[in-house]
Amino acid sequence: MIDNQASKMAFNVKTYWVIVAFYFITLPLWVDFRGAKTPFSYDIDQYYSYLPAIFVHGDLTFSFSNNYWLHDAGEGKFIQRFTVGLSILHAPFFLIGHGFAWLLGEEMSGYSMPYVYAICYGTVIYFALGLWFLRKLLLKFFDDFTTASTLIAIALATNLLYYTLGTGQMSHAYLFTLYAVFLYCSISWLNTFTWKYSILSAIALGLAALIRPTEIILILVPILWGLRSKTDINERIKHIGIHFKQILIFGIIVFLIGFIQFIYWKLYGGNWIIYSYGEEGFNFKNPQILNVLFSYRKGLFIYTPIMFLAFVGIIMLFKRLPQSFWSILVFCGVYIYVISSWWSWWYGGGFGMRAMIQTYALLAIPLAVFISFAINRLRNKKLIYLILVPFIFLNFLQTYQYKKTFIHWENMTKEAYWVVFGKFKLSDEDWEKVRNAYKPPEVPPKSGE
């Protein structure tokens, strides 16, 4: 493992641009730009709803529509149950779409084709930004070829592909980017203690938590990064004292970004803090960890099996990148425990374990450790693609199967999975078997009570 060297930048940069070009060029294959089917539906429309409410209707009480999943805050007040964070990231591209709708004489509703183009391509731009920061992060610890190979694995062999192109307006690609920015900047801050990295990491963490409050768990990574002994802990405490002003400003920025949501709740719901998910909640006494990782319904290792190599890489971190071991191990343990405690551990309709997608920005590090180890054991480093290509092929195949509903968005079982496995087309007999094998999930209590 080596630091970034300018002479070895070429291949990882070329790889980066090839991936980004692939995403941009293939986007029209994923999105119906003819307008027959809007991408603004279900969760996406809820995240997005603040923008038409503000810029089209001027009404954050949402009295203009009954299509949103509003939370009854009492006293006749209704608020959007989803937080405002994703609308903030959508906003620049919404405004571009708004401008083009005006110029082209299209309906300025927030939902006509100019908005669809702007938001969908905006998602790819955010993804490209996240991949760029991930590249910079990996180059801190790995050589050019390992970095390039890891970028290929993350971009093409995981369900990040589908959640950038197929359903890109969901939160996951945006959170992936915020994770990558935060990780690069916070780890850089630990090495340099410069204001630039402190402020950027605060903005990234604040926005991530404003999209999904549980993402605040990410703060564990820089807190534990580099702590291997009592001496390291004492040194960290010393640096906290020296750079306390930066840490204080960091906290203030994160709080002020979160305060945007508090203001909305107070103005339109009547209280500073409102739990807008009603009866839905966490059951911390009954986490579904095995289901999250291994189930045929949505298991991480079933639908994104390359992440199993990343988890093997976490073990390898102890010797190969020891400063990161406890940081990544503890974060993964806490994060998986939390997401597996949500009442709907399968997270509704979707492809694979979508709640884990943002963590790929962090899991790229142990994945790169595994890839680096494999490269060092091969006579020809390019043979690493003999390992990566099957994972990429399986991801594309399963993504295709999901688009064709061979893989059901919520009701998959072991039996149904093995009927469709490896198939691009199902016979009438296969369809009959699959339909008989589908099984709706058993809905657990919506909270731990």
Side-chain angles (χ1 to χ4, degrees):
M1 299 178 187
I2 61 174
D3 290 331
N4 180 7
Q5 297 181 19
S7 62
K8 293 189 175 184
M9 286 285 286
F11 184 61
N12 75 76
V13 172
K14 289 179 181 178
T15 300
Y16 167 83
W17 285 112
V18 167
I19 292 171
V20 170
F22 170 80
Y23 269 60
F24 270 101
I25 291 169
T26 61
L27 180 61
L29 300 176
W30 298 80
V31 179
D32 184 3
F33 287 120
R34 297 169 299 174
K37 183 179 180 182
T38 176
F40 302 114
S41 58
Y42 300 104
D43 289 24
I44 293 172
D45 200 21
Q46 311 311 308
Y47 281 119
Y48 180 75
S49 63
Y50 292 92
L51 295 173
I54 293 172
F55 294 103
V56 177
H57 301 281
D59 179 12
L60 275 173
T61 68
F62 293 95
S63 61
F64 59 90
S65 173
N66 60 4
N67 294 325
Y68 298 125
W69 305 339
L70 302 180
H71 171 73
D72 186 349
E75 300 180 359
K77 297 178 179 179
F78 292 87
I79 59 171
Q80 173 54 259
R81 65 184 296 194
F82 285 55
T83 53
V84 71
L86 196 55
S87 277
I88 291 175
L89 294 185
H90 281 154
F93 296 98
F94 172 92
L95 293 175
I96 291 172
H98 207 47
F100 273 100
W102 177 76
L103 288 171
L104 299 173
E106 296 279 349
E107 183 181 355
M108 296 179 68
S109 62
Y111 294 95
S112 58
M113 277 302 104
Y115 300 95
V116 175
Y117 275 97
I119 296 295
C120 290
Y121 277 102
T123 300
V124 180
I125 290 172
Y126 275 114
F127 160 79
L129 177 65
L131 199 67
W132 181 263
F133 272 91
L134 178 59
R135 184 193 70 85
K136 290 166 66 71
L137 174 65
L138 292 173
L139 284 171
K140 286 179 171 291
F141 312 108
F142 305 99
D143 61 41
D144 175 72
F145 189 79
T146 300
T147 296
S149 301
T150 306
L151 294 180
I152 291 171
I154 294 295
L156 301 182
T158 73
N159 54 345
L160 175 61
L161 173 76
Y162 177 76
Y163 279 98
T164 302
L165 298 175
T167 311
Q169 297 70 51
M170 287 286 283
S171 62
H172 309 295
Y174 296 83
L175 286 169
F176 168 81
T177 291
L178 293 173
Y179 264 53
V181 172
F182 175 79
L183 291 168
Y184 173 76
C185 291
S186 61
I187 292 172
S188 296
W189 182 80
L190 290 172
N191 294 327
T192 64
F193 299 105
T194 58
W195 278 99
K196 173 180 70 174
Y197 292 127
S198 176
I199 292 172
L200 286 175
S201 59
I203 293 171
L205 183 63
L207 287 172
L210 190 57
I211 294 173
R212 286 182 57 187
T214 52
E215 306 304 336
I216 200 70
I217 297 170
L218 187 58
I219 194 63
L220 289 173
V221 176
I223 287 176
L224 298 175
W225 190 274
L227 300 185
R228 290 171 284 174
S229 65
K230 185 177 179 180
T231 301
D232 293 330
I233 295 173
N234 290 335
E235 189 70 15
R236 180 63 52 80
I237 293 172
K238 175 182 175 183
H239 284 302
I240 289 173
I242 295 173
H243 303 285
F244 180 76
K245 185 177 180 180
Q246 287 190 39
I247 296 171
L248 178 62
I249 297 299
F250 172 94
I252 291 173
I253 292 172
V254 172
F255 174 78
L256 288 176
I257 292 174
F259 197 64
I260 296 171
Q261 190 66 45
F262 299 152
I263 292 174
Y264 169 71
W265 283 332
K266 180 62 177 176
L267 290 177
Y268 295 95
N271 292 290
W272 286 107
I273 299 177
I274 298 174
Y275 186 75
S276 58
Y277 280 84
E279 296 180 356
E280 299 178 10
F282 294 92
N283 188 348
F284 291 113
K285 295 180 180 179
N286 187 31
Q288 299 295 307
I289 294 173
L290 292 180
N291 278 325
V292 164
L293 297 178
F294 296 102
S295 77
Y296 282 90
R297 190 174 306 284
K298 292 291 179 64
L300 175 67
F301 297 148
I302 301 297
Y303 296 101
T304 312
I306 199 167
M307 280 298 116
F308 183 79
L309 303 184
F311 276 67
V312 173
I314 293 176
I315 299 171
M316 301 169 71
L317 287 172
F318 190 78
K319 287 187 176 181
R320 295 178 173 271
L321 199 64
Q323 67 267 39
S324 70
F325 175 73
W326 289 110
S327 177
I328 294 176
L329 180 67
V330 171
F331 168 83
C332 287
V334 172
Y335 190 87
I336 291 172
Y337 171 71
V338 170
I339 67 167
S340 67
S341 297
W342 183 244
W343 74 273
S344 174
W345 61 263
W346 62 94
Y347 289 83
F351 175 49
M353 184 44 60
R354 59 187 179 90
M356 286 291 294
I357 291 173
Q358 48 267 36
T359 68
Y360 299 166
L362 179 63
L363 290 172
I365 295 175
L367 180 59
V369 167
F370 182 92
I371 289 173
S372 177
F373 170 80
I375 289 172
N376 291 334
R377 294 298 183 274
L378 298 171
R379 293 182 179 180
N380 184 336
K381 64 182 182 181
K382 293 183 180 179
L383 291 176
I384 189 64
Y385 295 112
L386 292 178
I387 298 175
L388 296 183
V389 166
F391 288 105
I392 294 171
F393 174 78
L394 182 61
N395 185 54
F396 274 81
L397 173 60
Q398 293 194 143
T399 302
Y400 171 83
Q401 291 177 320
Y402 179 76
K403 290 277 286 182
K404 293 293 185 179
T405 69
F406 300 0
I407 294 175
H408 195 276
W409 55 88
E410 191 170 24
N411 297 342
M412 283 302 288
T413 62
K414 178 180 178 180
E415 293 75 19
Y417 181 86
W418 288 109
V419 170
V420 306
F421 183 79
K423 295 179 181 178
F424 286 94
K425 187 177 181 180
L426 298 186
S427 66
D428 291 341
E429 182 182 357
D430 288 334
W431 273 117
E432 184 67 21
K433 290 179 180 178
V434 167
R435 292 190 184 103
N436 290 334
Y438 287 156
K439 182 181 178 182
E442 296 180 4
V443 180
K446 292 187 176 182
S447 70
E449 297 179 0

